[in-house]
């Protein structure tokens, strides 16, 4: 990406601040865009304008956006993906509803595709090598949309080519515990083909675990008991319901990390250093292929061996056995094996991000980012186009107000359409790598709306604690879809809630893992982030996600008929995201409540004391410094909150407001330590890194204690526990220092 630097004039209240702001990459280059009409900028959030935006977000327009976005498959870097790049540019450069500027950036990234000349296939072969059964190579063409030339066949991205053959073994979800249990039962795993079901752990981890037990090849399927509440017949599933059809196959990336595989920590520009693909870590070590549950049923229901445990049983209508091999008196001849022929290939491709920018009037060097990825595995109506349809409608409404001269945000707003997310959050990660320092210094928050509607029952919000209050404030003012008079907040609290020692009963705000493009922003850059969507009632279904996820059945008609008829839930998400965006971009005081971190820290501390305290004491490790650090943070957060309340009641000096807002904005960064988790890639946040330990506390401490439990006193594992404790204490003390008065050195 060309980084355009322009010295901006000192505008509005910024002149009073004497800040001499330099407009960075997201400023409007001189002479490239016609100036927007002048506008009187309010000093704080304009509630009347907010109400106007809420009223103008149109469900029918979102529906038509989705129809256009999902009418053809748009796998990353394909011609249709690039056509959508042009569509976004056209919308964001529209003279009546566009933004200040729009541009693309390209990265040269390593992707994985199945061979068109040699399709992947999975067969059962008899003792003489003859093919007894062949698994489907493509999904059944139920609606005329599953058989086109642009529909990529099911495959496991980044799985290596190969033709392993062996006896079949069933390994449940393919966790390390599952494989260990099989080994303990005396089941031979070496040189077998293992069948696992989706769920429990990430896709790539299944292949890694299998390889560690010298498995030759891996098959993965979606069990109807995990996705369809047990329904598996053709007349019970799509197109007759929202259930996954028997031939449906979940595609996906099996790369264990995120970002371009060849350029970790570097933007994937043509000049960047690249690793040798043969030496890249994180790829599946063995050939892997996903299949539909109709084929999984034929394989699994004919296995011999002992009965699988009750927890390993599923919805295929038979007893699941473990193998190895098929029943001698079944449909396959004795000694039949499974053969996998995988021909995936790696390719360097150019993938585009699209950025649409609205320059802030007062603080143009403070950015509120709103993003979603654009690429899909096939049509991608739910994932990701439901989110992009919302993004386009929100940017249309704000762009129209901008072009009319009735609004300009206090802070800059950046809309982003990320490329190649499905292969491992590639576009967003490359962006954060290229503009690491700028984004860390200037980004207020990141809003992610990927799948905007999983289903049409209730809001699902995830985020770091400081964004909880702004989400709550927004949802209390927006009516929930449907006939009830409840707000989105009141409806949300009915389905997912928790008891807060500070607020009482509140909706549950989920935590952020690495499932979408928020990951590099929170884990790598330490930016307060959130992910917003509408969801189903989890008490009414066992589905781990919407049933046609990553299949060729995720189409516009699927959404229109089953997921959100009328698109009122899409509209609700647009209103929620739009309200949050405006509150972050226009409020004089940033609506980030850092005190909400106190509750998280106290909860983590109590879990450590209760579940790890005695163990640590046995090894002469004290939690005292951590207790003190948490108390320091709580005290500093309380004092800062009181200071904010006092300032809000008066006529604050603009520079004092700016200084205070920077404290709120930068708090999340204080929890970063790039050396805390050397075994992980991009994970630097000491509160939200992956937790493998069983205790729900600070992840580094939990993980280290789990590894050290069965080691002797004075071991390297116990030294790592002490190191993790010191890392935590330092981070919390730095966080408390950030919240204290700026002049207090």
């Amino acid at each position: 990406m060309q980084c355009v630097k322009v010295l901006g004039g000192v505008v509005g209240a910024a002149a009073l601040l004497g800040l001499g702001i330099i407009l960075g990459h997201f400023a409007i280059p001189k002479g490239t865009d016609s100036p927007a009409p002048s506008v009187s900028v309010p000093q704080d959030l304009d509630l009347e304008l907010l109400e106007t935006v809420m009223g103008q977000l149109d469900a029918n327009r979102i529906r038509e956006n989705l129809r256009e976005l999902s009418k053809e498959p748009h796998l990353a870097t394909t011609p249709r993906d690039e056509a959508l790049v042009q569509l976004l540019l056209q919308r964001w450069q529209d003279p009546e509803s566009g933004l200040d500027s729009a541009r693309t950036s390209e990265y040269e990234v390593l992707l994985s595709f199945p061979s068109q000349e040699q399709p992947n296939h999975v067969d059962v072969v008899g003792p003489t090598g003859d093919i007894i059964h062949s698994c489907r190579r493509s999904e059944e063409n139920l609606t005329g949309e599953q058989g086109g030339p642009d529909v990529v066949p099911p495959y496991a991205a980044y799985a290596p080519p190969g033709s392993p053959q062996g006896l079949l073994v069933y390994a449940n979800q393919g966790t390390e515990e599952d494989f260990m249990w099989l080994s303990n039962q005396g089941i031979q795993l070496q040189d077998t083909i293992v069948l696992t079901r989706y769920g429990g752990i990430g896709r790539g981890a299944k292949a890694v675990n299998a390889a560690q037990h010298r498995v030759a090849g891996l098959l993965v399927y979606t069990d109807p008991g995990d996705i369809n509440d047990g329904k598996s017949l053709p007349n019970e599933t799509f197109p007759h319901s929202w259930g996954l059809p028997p031939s449906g196959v979940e595609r996906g990336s099996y790369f264990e990390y995120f970002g371009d595989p060849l350029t970790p920590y570097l933007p994937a520009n043509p000049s960047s250093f690249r690793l040798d693909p043969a030496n890249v870590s994180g790829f599946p070590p063995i050939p892997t292929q996903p299949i539909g549950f109709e084929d999984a049923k034929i394989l699994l229901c004919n296995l011999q061996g002992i009965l699988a445990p009750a927890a390993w049983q599923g919805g295929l209508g038979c007893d699941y056995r473990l193998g190895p091999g098929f029943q001698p008196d079944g449909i396959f001849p004795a000694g039949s094996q499974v053969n996998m022929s995988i021909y995936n290939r790696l390719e360097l491709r150019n993938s585009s991000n699209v950025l649409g920018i609205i320059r802030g009037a007062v603080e143009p060097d403070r950015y509120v980012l709103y993003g979603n990825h654009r690429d899909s595995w096939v049509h991608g109506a739910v994932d990701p186009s439901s989110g992009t349809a919302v993004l386009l409608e929100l940017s249309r409404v704000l762009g129209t107000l901008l072009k009319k001269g009735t609004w300009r945000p206090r802070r800059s707003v950046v809309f982003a359409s990320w490329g190649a997310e499905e292969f491992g959050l590639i576009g967003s990660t490359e962006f954060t790598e290229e503009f690491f320092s700028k984004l860390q210094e200037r980004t207020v928050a990141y809003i992610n709306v990927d799948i905007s509607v999983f289903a049409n029952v209730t809001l699902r919000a995830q985020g770091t604690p400081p964004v909880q209050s702004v989400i709550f404030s927004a949802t209390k003012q927006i009516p929930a879809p449907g006939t009830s008079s409840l707000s989105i907040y009141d409806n949300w609290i009915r389905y997912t809630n928790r008891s807060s020692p500070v607020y009482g009963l509140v909706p549950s705000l989920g935590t952020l893992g690495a499932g979408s493009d928020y990951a590099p922003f929170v884990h790598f850059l330490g930016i307060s982030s959130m992910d917003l969507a509408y969801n189903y009632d989890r008490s009414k279904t066992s589905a781990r996600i919407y049933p046609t996820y990553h299949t060729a059945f995720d189409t516009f008609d699927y959404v229109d008929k089953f997921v959100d008829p009328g698109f009122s839930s899409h509209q609700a998400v647009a209103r929620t995201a739009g309200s949050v965006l405006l509150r972050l971009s226009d409020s004089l005081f940033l609506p980030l409540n850092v005190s909400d971190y106190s509750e998280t820290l106290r909860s983590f501390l109590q879990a450590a004391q209760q579940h790890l305290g005695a163990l640590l004491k046995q090894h002469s490790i004290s939690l005292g410094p951590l207790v003190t650090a948490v108390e320091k943070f709580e005290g500093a957060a309380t004092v800062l909150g009181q200071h904010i309340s006092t300032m809000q009641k008066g006529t604050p000096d603009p520079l004092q407001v700016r200084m205070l807002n920077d404290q709120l904005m930068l708090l999340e960064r204080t929890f970063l330590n790039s050396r805390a988790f050397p075994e992980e890639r991009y994970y630097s946040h000491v509160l939200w890194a992956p937790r493998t330990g069983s205790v729900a506390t600070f992840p580094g401490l939990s993980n280290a204690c789990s590894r050290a439990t069965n080691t002797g006193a004075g071991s390297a594992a116990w030294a790592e526990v002490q190191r993790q404790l010191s890392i935590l204490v330092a981070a919390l003390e730095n966080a408390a220092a950030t919240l204290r008065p700026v002049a207090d050195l």
Side-chain angles (χ1 to χ4, degrees), residues 157-374:
Y158 297 108
S163 299
Q165 180 172 312
L167 297 175
L168 187 68
V169 172
Y170 172 56
N172 191 32
Q173 295 179 328
T175 66
E176 177 57 26
E177 292 76 15
D178 291 339
F179 281 108
M180 288 300 299
W181 190 88
L182 289 170
S183 295
N184 292 337
Q185 299 303 307
I187 293 176
Q188 175 66 35
L189 292 169
Q190 183 175 344
D191 297 327
T192 61
I193 304 299
V194 162
L195 175 65
T196 64
R197 61 210 276 181
Y198 277 118
I201 57 173
R203 303 181 193 97
K206 299 176 191 292
V208 170
N209 292 338
Q212 289 173 345
H213 290 267
R214 306 183 72 179
V215 168
L218 179 72
L219 300 176
V220 190
Y221 80 102
T222 301
D223 196 282
D226 299 330
I227 203 76
N228 284 352
D229 296 315
K231 295 179 181 178
S232 60
L233 299 177
N235 64 357
E236 297 176 316
T237 57
F238 184 78
H240 305 288
S241 77
W242 87 323
L244 177 69
S247 68
V249 183
E250 177 184 324
R251 299 150 180 81
S253 173
Y254 282 67
F255 182 48
E256 284 210 283
Y257 303 118
F258 49 88
D260 172 47
L262 299 186
T263 59
Y265 297 103
L266 294 171
N269 296 321
S271 61
S272 290
F273 169 78
R274 282 174 167 75
L275 301 172
D276 183 340
N279 298 326
V280 170
S281 61
F283 288 162
I286 57 176
T288 302
Q289 177 70 15
I291 61 174
F293 69 73
E294 69 175 349
D295 284 313
K297 180 176 183 177
I298 293 172
L299 300 179
L300 187 49
C301 293
N302 285 284
L303 277 181
Q304 65 178 357
I306 65 173
L307 198 65
W312 293 28
Q313 299 295 323
L316 292 177
C318 66
D319 290 332
Y320 293 13
R321 296 186 177 273
L322 302 175
F326 297 110
Q327 301 167 9
D329 55 351
I331 65 172
F332 301 130
S336 294
Q337 297 184 342
V338 173
N339 175 270
M340 299 173 59
S341 296
I342 307 302
Y343 302 100
N344 297 341
R345 66 187 190 277
L346 298 173
E347 289 187 24
L348 279 175
R349 293 278 190 95
N350 290 326
S351 178
S352 299
N353 291 337
V354 190
L355 300 178
I357 299 115
I358 303 176
R359 188 187 65 250
V362 180
E363 300 180 74
D365 64 332
R366 291 292 178 264
Y367 314 143
V368 179
L369 270 61
Y370 179 119
N372 178 31
H373 70 101
R374 180 184 62 258

Side-chain angles (χ1 to χ4, degrees), residues 82-117:
E82 291 305 308
L84 293 183
V85 169
Q86 297 306 313
L87 183 148
L88 283 152
L89 285 174
Q90 178 187 1
R91 296 283 186 95
W92 289 345
Q93 292 171 344
D94 186 277
E96 295 184 353
S97 60
L99 313 179
D100 283 328
S101 64
R103 58 177 68 95
T104 63
S105 59
E106 266 193 3
Y107 298 100
E108 189 177 41
V109 300
L110 187 72
L111 304 183
S112 168
F113 301 96
S115 170
Q116 293 181 327
E117 297 76 22

Side-chain angles (χ1 to χ4, degrees), residues 668-721:
E668 203 82 57
R669 322 290 199 265
T670 65
F671 297 119
L672 297 184
N673 186 313
S674 61
R675 297 179 182 271
F677 312 106
E679 73 281 4
E680 301 285 357
R681 187 178 294 179
Y682 297 107
Y683 288 103
S684 300
H685 203 301
V686 301
L687 303 181
W688 306 119
R691 180 174 57 82
T692 56
S694 60
V695 179
T697 183
F698 304 98
L701 181 62
S702 180
N703 299 346
C705 285
S706 179
R707 290 190 290 264
T709 297
N710 295 320
T711 65
S715 68
W718 281 108
E720 176 62 13
V721 172

